[in-house]
Amino acid sequence: MNKSFAGEFELIDFIKNKFNSLIAKDSTGIGDDCAIIPLDSKKSLVVTTDMLVEEVHFLRDKIAPFILGKKSLAVNLSDIASMGAAPVSSFLSFSLPDDVNDEWRRQFIEGYYELSEKFSVPLLGGDTTRSLDKITVSVTALGTADNENLKRRNGAGQGDLICVNGYLGDSAAGFKLIQRERWSDNPMEEYLINAHNDPDPLVNEGLWLGKNKYVTSMMDISDGIGSDIRHILNASDVGAIIDLERLPLSSALTKISGKYGWDKYNLAVNGGEDYKLLFTVLKEDFQDLNKEYLQIFKREITVIGSIAQKDNGLMWKLYGDCVPDYFMGYRHF
Amino acid sequence: MNKSFAGEFELIDFIKNKFNSLIAKDSTGIGDDCAIIPLDSKKSLVVTTDMLVEEVHFLRDKIAPFILGKKSLAVNLSDIASMGAAPVSSFLSFSLPDDVNDEWRRQFIEGYYELSEKFSVPLLGGDTTRSLDKITVSVTALGTADNENLKRRNGAGQGDLICVNGYLGDSAAGFKLIQRERWSDNPMEEYLINAHNDPDPLVNEGLWLGKNKYVTSMMDISDGIGSDIRHILNASDVGAIIDLERLPLSSALTKISGKYGWDKYNLAVNGGEDYKLLFTVLKEDFQDLNKEYLQIFKREITVIGSIAQKDNGLMWKLYGDCVPDYFMGYRHF
């Protein structure tokens, strides 16, 4: 065995194959948003973990410690939500260099606390340590769900509608603005930067969708739908057609993309860190689902395409015309 | 509120107080080796997480990736064992700079796998990401235990014997050898370096001691007994007398300490990363416990002192004479 890891996914595959034999039949390991560990015949524990690295996932002088604290937990709660599970506890480890002062540490914890309190998720442990020069944050979150409500990636069937429950691409546009040396105090630009730095994990939405039997698969959008939808297609052994013009785009994304000459669809498809939910719904039941969702969450679910047979592969369309190879992948800094 | 965090423990106290109100009454959060989350009336989940940072916890050119992979899991399994729990799964996150090649990554995973396989602990998830220049590894481990077998830090009572189940100070001596520019190929030095780099988590020993009702408190030795015993004393609201001459020291530690003029007791008390178990036992039942332990694990438990009343504080003695303020604390690189 002498192959080279071309990227993160190959390394993950190597790990997955290596450890496969150790995993009990009723557990689910690497390959979904969370691992699933059965607790009894009715309930399962779900577990996820995410690492944020300075200068890869964030720039210290471009994000307030309070917001970074929130985001560290948010990205994990989003994973728990995407399984249809309720978060029950979190664990926080971080390594901080000596030039991170007490006020920074306190603000980081205050931000982490704000989101913990919002969703009543206790912090039950962790590890604090020194680092030489960069900040690294690692959070593990635990959730529970009734087995019948657990949503995985492998349930999408031909004809199901592909849905998202929030704007796509805002975070990626905010990320582009952060990368510029300076940005204007245009409120739309602030909104986009905020979408990147301070994502709202859709905890209640995920729980609600989990309980809905018309939802056939679900995950959260962390790498951009262009990459993420493939996980559902692979796990469910199906293809898909996605209509770019149906992607829900904020007016801020449209306007600021116009201003700087960015391709808004590219940002919405290939930009990462949206932390909205991507899910499939039985076609005949969508209207009922959407109506109820609108009443509870005060916004509509957006249909962006439909599940096709496997041979079809993943097809991107713009006003009916095929747009080949639209997916180009997402990279952090 | 404007105090400065003098160290890791103060920051942990700030976090602990902040989140206290969110913790359900039947859960145990920060303050033991693991968090304890009740699963039902009989069983609990225990969770621990540890972060290893390059140039703080290890030097890349002084530890083989295979051994580092093992150690990343070992320190977490040791925490699980110290609760009297059985490890059931682990989660591995790491950030690696671009100059860490595929062979390093593979070897790291192979080492992590070796220990996973030894104790049948599946790796169920994690996160792999890039970093700018340093390696950071964060592992979370989950275990389960019957509630009646869970060992905490708060059960030590006056008269109980203070015990350890392995040599102390070897790891600290190995660490001192690693810090030297060169070390000899003396097998004793190799043994000490190995004790530091490749600690054996005492998983079966912890499980066995957990099931023994004569064991009144337990934790693993990660910061050195001088620091760690204080956690048991504080949690149990008691004092202690420890006799330095009773500390179990390997002949390698004694000989190499003599060679380089190191204080062997200082290494055994203040050196960290022993990953042996520190526990208290009802005095009248110790002989029976030790006899049975010897039969199963082929080595004896060592009594190093006894629990005293709280007013006594923590007293160090050497051949009957008090040695004041022996504890000086442990620092990584």
Side-chain angles (χ1 to χ4, degrees):
Chain A
M1 185 154 185
N2 205 13
K3 81 178 178 64
S4 162
F5 302 125
E8 193 188 347
F9 291 130
E10 282 84 343
L11 176 58
I12 293 170
D13 275 344
F14 173 72
I15 296 172
K16 194 175 161 178
N17 292 333
K18 183 93 207 157
F19 285 82
N20 215 24
S21 63
L22 297 182
I23 299 178
K25 278 195 197 74
D26 53 357
S27 289
T28 304
I30 299 159
D32 221 308
D33 290 271
C34 296
I36 304 172
I37 304 169
L39 293 177
D40 55 40
S41 59
K42 287 185 173 176
K43 273 192 131 177
S44 285
L45 183 74
V46 300
V47 186
T48 185
T49 185
D50 262 297
M51 191 176 250
L52 297 180
V53 180
E54 183 177 352
E55 286 183 37
V56 176
H57 301 97
F58 65 91
L59 302 173
R60 204 192 303 184
D61 59 351
K62 297 284 173 67
I63 186 165
F66 185 90
I67 302 299
L68 183 64
K70 277 183 77 178
K71 185 169 183 173
S72 305
L73 180 58
V75 300
N76 285 280
L77 295 188
S78 181
D79 279 325
I80 298 284
S82 77
M83 306 295 294
V88 294
S89 59
S90 81
F91 295 81
L92 164 65
S93 295
F94 49 109
S95 60
L96 302 175
D98 291 339
D99 62 347
V100 170
N101 64 25
D102 282 359
E103 187 53 26
W104 194 101
R105 290 162 202 245
R106 198 188 321 274
Q107 285 298 320
F108 179 91
I109 295 299
E110 295 285 356
Y112 193 97
Y113 179 76
E114 186 177 271
L115 202 59
S116 300
E117 194 188 27
K118 179 174 179 182
F119 294 113
S120 302
V121 184
L123 174 69
L124 290 186
D127 194 12
T128 62
T129 180
R130 233 164 40 84
S131 74
L132 214 67
D133 56 0
K134 298 284 186 293
I135 299 166
T136 303
V137 183
S138 177
V139 173
T140 302
L142 275 58
T144 54
D146 288 343
N147 292 332
E148 58 181 20
N149 295 341
L150 269 178
K151 297 300 181 198
R152 301 168 194 247
R153 298 175 177 178
N154 64 2
Q158 212 182 317
D160 290 356
L161 300 180
I162 302 170
C163 304
V164 296
N165 65 346
Y167 292 130
L168 303 180
D170 285 352
S171 171
F175 177 65
K176 283 179 83 79
L177 291 169
I178 291 166
Q179 283 181 303
R180 299 166 66 93
E181 272 306 292
R182 302 178 60 180
W183 60 83
S184 73
D185 56 1
N186 180 328
M188 285 192 177
E189 299 196 12
E190 271 179 42
Y191 159 86
L192 294 171
I193 289 167
N194 194 53
H196 181 78
N197 283 339
D198 192 13
D200 251 331
L202 301 176
V203 172
N204 295 322
E205 292 82 348
L207 257 178
W208 188 86
L209 291 165
K211 286 179 184 139
N212 193 299
K213 63 180 188 291
Y214 307 137
V215 176
T216 54
S217 70
M218 185 157 69
M219 66 182 297
D220 78 331
I221 307 171
S222 54
D223 294 334
I225 58 163
S227 169
D228 291 332
I229 188 67
R230 284 166 205 270
H231 295 300
I232 288 181
L233 302 188
N234 289 339
S236 302
D237 212 29
V238 292
I241 301 166
I242 296 182
D243 303 306
L244 291 172
E245 74 280 6
R246 300 169 90 180
L247 301 182
L249 306 184
S250 69
S251 57
L253 177 68
T254 301
K255 287 208 177 135
I256 300 300
S257 289
K259 177 177 168 185
Y260 293 113
W262 299 337
D263 176 355
K264 63 185 179 184
Y265 294 129
N266 183 23
L267 290 172
V269 171
N270 299 312
E273 304 202 43
D274 286 315
Y275 300 113
K276 306 298 189 293
L277 297 169
L278 174 66
F279 52 101
T280 54
V281 178
L282 293 175
K283 190 175 181 179
E284 56 276 25
D285 301 300
F286 176 77
Q287 291 305 334
D288 290 346
L289 179 84
N290 191 32
K291 202 171 145 190
E292 229 181 304
Y293 185 93
L294 176 63
Q295 278 178 340
I296 297 169
F297 297 109
K298 311 299 171 203
R299 66 164 295 146
E300 290 198 76
I301 291 167
T302 307
V303 175
I304 63 169
S306 58
I307 296 295
Q309 58 182 343
K310 191 184 180 182
D311 298 348
N312 187 80
L314 172 57
M315 195 181 287
W316 299 93
K317 288 190 171 181
L318 182 59
Y319 298 111
D321 293 332
C322 284
V323 185
D325 288 334
Y326 207 83
F327 168 66
M328 298 181 297
Y330 173 65
R331 279 187 68 88
H332 294 285
F333 291 89
Chain B
M1 178 147 193
N2 205 15
K3 79 176 177 67
S4 163
F5 301 125
E8 191 189 348
F9 291 130
E10 283 83 343
L11 176 58
I12 292 170
D13 275 343
F14 172 73
I15 297 171
K16 193 174 163 181
N17 292 331
K18 184 94 208 159
F19 284 81
N20 215 22
S21 64
L22 295 181
I23 299 178
K25 278 194 198 74
D26 54 356
S27 288
T28 303
I30 299 159
D32 221 309
D33 291 270
C34 295
I36 305 172
I37 304 169
L39 293 177
D40 56 40
S41 60
K42 287 186 174 176
K43 272 193 133 177
S44 286
L45 184 73
V46 299
V47 186
T48 186
T49 185
D50 262 295
M51 191 176 250
L52 297 181
V53 180
E54 183 178 353
E55 289 185 35
V56 175
H57 301 96
F58 65 91
L59 301 173
R60 201 191 305 183
D61 60 351
K62 297 283 173 69
I63 186 166
F66 184 90
I67 301 298
L68 183 64
K70 277 183 77 177
K71 184 170 185 174
S72 306
L73 180 59
V75 300
N76 285 280
L77 295 188
S78 180
D79 278 327
I80 299 284
S82 77
M83 306 296 293
V88 294
S89 60
S90 81
F91 296 81
L92 164 66
S93 294
F94 49 109
S95 60
L96 302 176
D98 291 339
D99 62 349
V100 170
N101 65 24
D102 283 359
E103 187 53 25
W104 194 100
R105 291 162 200 245
R106 197 187 322 273
Q107 284 299 320
F108 178 91
I109 295 300
E110 296 284 358
Y112 194 97
Y113 178 76
E114 186 178 271
L115 201 59
S116 301
E117 195 189 28
K118 179 174 179 182
F119 294 112
S120 302
V121 184
L123 174 69
L124 289 185
D127 194 10
T128 62
T129 179
R130 232 165 40 84
S131 73
L132 215 67
D133 55 1
K134 296 285 184 295
I135 299 167
T136 304
V137 183
S138 177
V139 173
T140 302
L142 274 58
T144 55
D146 288 344
N147 294 331
E148 57 181 20
N149 295 342
L150 268 178
K151 298 300 181 197
R152 302 169 195 246
R153 297 175 177 179
N154 64 3
Q158 212 182 315
D160 289 356
L161 300 180
I162 302 171
C163 305
V164 296
N165 65 346
Y167 291 131
L168 303 180
D170 285 352
S171 171
F175 178 65
K176 281 179 85 78
L177 291 170
I178 291 166
Q179 282 181 304
R180 299 165 67 93
E181 273 307 291
R182 302 177 62 179
W183 60 81
S184 73
D185 57 0
N186 179 328
M188 285 193 177
E189 299 196 13
E190 271 179 42
Y191 160 86
L192 294 171
I193 289 166
N194 194 53
H196 181 79
N197 282 341
D198 192 12
D200 250 332
L202 302 176
V203 172
N204 296 323
E205 291 83 348
L207 257 177
W208 187 87
L209 291 166
K211 285 179 186 141
N212 193 298
K213 63 181 188 294
Y214 306 138
V215 176
T216 55
S217 72
M218 185 157 66
M219 65 181 298
D220 77 331
I221 306 171
S222 54
D223 294 335
I225 59 162
S227 169
D228 292 332
I229 188 68
R230 283 165 204 271
H231 295 300
I232 287 181
L233 302 188
N234 289 338
S236 302
D237 212 28
V238 291
I241 300 166
I242 296 182
D243 303 306
L244 291 172
E245 75 278 7
R246 299 169 89 178
L247 300 183
L249 306 184
S250 69
S251 56
L253 177 67
T254 301
K255 289 210 177 135
I256 301 300
S257 290
K259 176 177 169 186
Y260 293 113
W262 300 336
D263 175 354
K264 63 186 179 183
Y265 294 129
N266 183 23
L267 290 172
V269 171
N270 299 312
E273 305 201 42
D274 286 314
Y275 300 114
K276 305 300 189 292
L277 298 169
L278 174 65
F279 52 102
T280 53
V281 178
L282 293 176
K283 189 174 179 180
E284 58 274 25
D285 300 301
F286 175 77
Q287 291 305 336
D288 288 346
L289 179 83
N290 190 33
K291 200 172 145 189
E292 226 180 309
Y293 186 93
L294 176 63
Q295 277 179 341
I296 298 169
F297 297 109
K298 312 298 170 206
R299 65 165 295 147
E300 289 198 76
I301 292 168
T302 307
V303 176
I304 62 169
S306 59
I307 296 294
Q309 59 181 343
K310 192 185 179 182
D311 299 347
N312 187 80
L314 173 56
M315 195 181 288
W316 300 95
K317 288 190 172 180
L318 182 59
Y319 297 111
D321 294 331
C322 284
V323 186
D325 289 333
Y326 208 84
F327 169 67
M328 299 182 295
Y330 174 65
R331 280 186 69 84
H332 293 287
F333 291 89

